Amino acid sequence: MTSQIRSAPATVADQHYQNQILQGVSRTFALTIPQLPPALFSVIGNAYLLCRIVDTVEDDNGLTSAQTRQFAEMFIQVVSGQVPAETFAEGLFPLLTDHTIPAEHDLIKNTPAVIRITHSFNAVQRAALERCVRIMGKGMADYQETESLAGLKDLPAMNQYCYYVAGVVGEMLTELFCDYSPEIACNRATLMPLAVSFGQGLQMTNILKDIWEDRQRGACWLPQAIFTETGFDLNDLRPGCTDPRFHAGLARLIGVAQAHLRNALTYTCLIPAQEKGIRRFCLWALGMAVLTLNKINQNHAFMHGNQVKISRRSVKATVLLTSLLAGQDWALQRLFDWTARQLPQYDVLGNPR
């Protein structure tokens, strides 16, 4: 059995740092995480930062594939208490390039503060966080080694990628929700597969929005088979593409993402109505994803993610409406149907509905 390193106790300064750096690395999560009950606020904020550290390791193109795998595996051991966080931070920080934003440089440098908080949680919470980082770190490193402009093989390959990046996060959040509430735990078996679908809906939305930014760095996460069926080769994809065969494949993926987000609504409605904070946390992410899909659907020939980014006004409207209706399942269903009414209608397997 591998011995664990005893971390120094988390301090008030560590918690202050966690709250502050969340603002820098994600405006969306900095907005949604404070909606959670106080008992979940710290652990889910910490979980997000752990995932962001893994993401930083995978995304910095200054690292070789061997270095990416080395630091991903090291961070898994840091979270489980087998390697000092200082060893990881001091090894990785000098290697980061300008591709990594300043806030993420700061996050890597201050990994020990984040980990001290991680190691302060109860056994169930730590196990959920450790499992998520382990699966995400290994899975993302595997996919990073096969990055190409040709895309992934097919929809199941895209599903697997989305699981490593986001589905496993949905499972982790569900474990944390169940640990927090016995009432939520009663629905654990139903919630778990829906959590994976929830994560996939959000991740597919990001993949579609970030097509051109990903291609600039030599990656494409679209499934080849979807476009092969329409007669389009992803190797021929260029910004501003007007080829109807590409647009047909894109529309199908928008429809699949919409189907996953519909499952996300089912997931949210299984959370007890009185847990409005958790519902808001889910609904705000879900609502913004549906609006982003609408923007992509209205502009298949977009050339940059900013062209399909939703406005601040739309964000405020999403926050207001979903907050008002957070406890009313029938109203949330009506709102989803109305907002998604112009999106292509497919199921999660890519079949027309």
Side-chain angles (χ1 to χ4, degrees), residues 174-338:
T174 305
E175 292 285 10
L176 296 175
F177 293 160
C178 289
D179 178 62
Y180 159 78
S181 163
E183 192 175 352
I184 295 175
C186 290
N187 287 325
R188 185 181 182 281
T190 307
L191 286 167
M192 276 299 179
L194 290 170
V196 174
S197 189
F198 196 152
Q200 175 146 355
L202 298 179
Q203 186 59 33
M204 283 188 72
T205 301
N206 285 335
I207 287 172
L208 297 177
K209 177 175 67 70
D210 296 336
I211 289 172
W212 305 115
E213 288 76 10
D214 287 338
R215 289 188 79 81
Q216 278 186 339
R217 64 181 187 85
C220 179
W221 306 115
L222 303 177
Q224 297 170 15
I226 294 288
F227 294 91
T228 301
E229 289 180 26
T230 69
F232 186 80
D233 187 340
L234 287 175
N235 286 300
D236 298 331
L237 185 56
R238 300 290 182 273
C241 179
T242 58
D243 192 316
R245 298 172 300 174
F246 170 68
H247 291 181
L250 185 62
R252 189 172 173 192
L253 291 176
I254 291 170
V256 172
Q258 174 270 148
H260 283 293
L261 293 178
R262 194 173 289 277
N263 283 344
L265 180 60
T266 302
Y267 176 97
T268 305
C269 290
L270 285 169
I271 301 295
Q274 68 269 22
E275 294 289 355
K276 289 190 172 62
I278 297 177
R279 283 193 169 211
R280 284 196 299 270
F281 173 80
C282 296
L283 288 167
W284 292 4
L286 165 57
M288 287 185 270
V290 174
L291 292 179
T292 301
L293 288 181
N294 276 330
K295 296 271 283 189
I296 297 169
N297 192 53
Q298 291 159 11
N299 184 13
H300 284 190
F302 75 99
M303 300 173 64
H304 194 278
N306 284 337
Q307 294 176 330
V308 290
K309 186 177 179 181
I310 62 174
S311 68
R312 293 193 179 201
R313 185 177 178 180
S314 294
V315 171
K316 288 180 180 177
T318 299
V319 166
L320 178 62
L321 266 176
T322 56
S323 296
L324 284 172
L325 304 175
Q328 303 175 48
D329 294 353
W330 67 271
L332 291 171
Q333 186 64 61
R334 292 274 184 87
L335 180 61
F336 183 96
D337 290 343
W338 183 82

Side-chain angles (χ1 to χ4, degrees), residues 25 52 55-56 96 99-109:
V25 296
R52 194 61 183 248
D55 198 45
T56 300
L96 297 175
H99 176 84
T100 296
I101 63 173
E104 289 174 346
H105 279 258
D106 192 70
L107 176 59
I108 297 301
K109 185 177 181 180

Side-chain angles (χ1 to χ4, degrees), residues 145-191:
E145 290 176 356
T146 61
E147 278 185 7
S148 81
L149 293 178
L152 300 173
K153 180 183 176 183
D154 50 24
L155 193 56
M158 186 185 206
N159 295 347
Q160 188 67 56
Y161 173 72
C162 288
Y163 174 72
Y164 288 140
V165 179
V168 69
V169 178
E171 291 177 330
M172 173 191 66
L173 289 172
T174 305
E175 292 285 10
L176 296 175
F177 293 160
C178 289
D179 178 62
Y180 159 78
S181 163
E183 192 175 352
I184 295 175
C186 290
N187 287 325
R188 185 181 182 281
T190 307
L191 286 167

